[in-house]
Amino acid sequence: MPWRTLAGLLPALLVGAWVAGHWSVMAAGCRDLLSAHLGWLLAALAATALGWVANACARQGTVHERLPVLLLVVTQFASTAAGQLAPAGIGASAVNLRFLRAHGLPLMRTSAALALYSLAESFSRVTLLLVLLVAFPHALHTAGLLPGRSGLLLVAVIAAVVLLAGVTVLASMRRVRAAVRTFLVAALADMRSLHGRPSRALALWGGSLAFPVLQAASMSAVALALDMPVPAVHVAIAYLAATCLAALVPSPGGIGSVDAALALALVAAGSPTATAASAVLGFRIVTVWLPLVPAAVALSALIRRKVL
């Protein structure tokens, strides 16, 4: 069997194994959703689908070259499957790296494009959260969501160790230091030139802001479908806060870290525990589990057709 055919089948096989291992959880969540309001669930699905379009816009904004629109959107959909198989967005980044490389961009520029996307999306998500907190200062209840004093101390120690290790590596390894300097110079040059083109800057920042807005809207729609007694905007703020906090604990697709933080935030906001659990599970079904198998099929097709 040719290696590309095998590589094309691998995502579908891995996702199939993942679905089989989580089948009981998926079945329980689907039973909860059967009694939910169909209109709001369809709205959550629509927001999820628009999120892939927003991602495609942001990715286009990271490069000068014009990328094929349909293939770019399909690649964002396919990266949904890859994102569940590796932590901290590594899977989705790898898919987009292969897509840009297949369209002739050199490795240095594709890496700079991925870094620019991550920076813009993270900045937009945090800024959106802060703006909403200013507008709705009593929406976020942090009881049980933020770690205690010992937890904060542990996070600070880990951050200090990681920073010290990075500084030590850069100080002791000239070749690594030179590579990092070269990358930063190239990335900053690309960023300046891209922001000199209004269409690229609008695509980058518009897509980067629209993506977390659509994610939060999808979560709010699921909460409305389940009649959660929490205002929709408070649900959106809880989701954004949970995703920002869970970024400190990378996991495949954010599953586990985001779910736990989000459930705690929803309960603290006034939701019954059972409703919060059903909402988090329903959100996962709508945004991850339902698209997972078709996304894996799309990923396999893109690999076989040498798009990736």
Side-chain angles (χ1 to χ4, degrees), residues 223-296:
L224 288 168
L226 295 171
D227 292 322
M228 179 181 289
V230 177
V233 69
H234 292 195
V235 174
I237 291 173
Y239 172 76
L240 292 170
T243 54
C244 291
L245 182 63
L248 301 173
V249 187
S251 62
I255 294 176
S257 55
V258 172
D259 296 347
L262 180 55
L264 287 172
L266 292 175
V267 170
S271 170
T273 303
T275 306
S278 294
V280 172
L281 190 56
F283 176 71
R284 282 296 176 194
I285 290 174
V286 168
T287 60
V288 175
W289 294 346
L290 283 181
L292 193 55
V293 172

Side-chain angles (χ1 to χ4, degrees), residues 153-167:
L153 179 61
L154 178 61
V155 170
V157 170
I158 293 174
V161 169
V162 171
L163 180 61
L164 180 61
V167 171

Side-chain angles (χ1 to χ4, degrees), residues 138-172:
H138 303 295
L140 185 62
H141 301 263
T142 58
L145 182 61
L146 295 176
R149 183 177 300 178
S150 58
L152 290 173
L153 179 61
L154 178 61
V155 170
V157 170
I158 293 174
V161 169
V162 171
L163 180 61
L164 180 61
V167 171
T168 301
V169 169
L170 290 177
S172 60

Side-chain angles (χ1 to χ4, degrees), residues 89-186:
I90 294 175
S93 295
V95 169
N96 280 282
L97 176 67
R98 289 294 306 163
F99 179 79
L100 294 177
R101 293 284 288 142
H103 284 81
L105 276 74
L107 182 59
M108 183 69 73
R109 290 193 54 220
T110 56
S111 301
L114 295 180
L116 179 56
Y117 169 82
S118 298
L119 177 64
E121 200 276 336
S122 300
F123 180 82
S124 298
R125 185 178 296 268
V126 173
T127 302
L128 176 63
L129 173 61
L130 294 176
V131 169
L132 288 175
L133 285 176
V134 171
F136 303 92
H138 303 295
L140 185 62
H141 301 263
T142 58
L145 182 61
L146 295 176
R149 183 177 300 178
S150 58
L152 290 173
L153 179 61
L154 178 61
V155 170
V157 170
I158 293 174
V161 169
V162 171
L163 180 61
L164 180 61
V167 171
T168 301
V169 169
L170 290 177
S172 60
M173 300 180 68
R174 181 181 301 176
R175 196 170 289 180
V176 173
R177 190 165 63 247
V180 170
R181 185 186 299 114
T182 302
F183 171 77
L184 290 176
V185 169

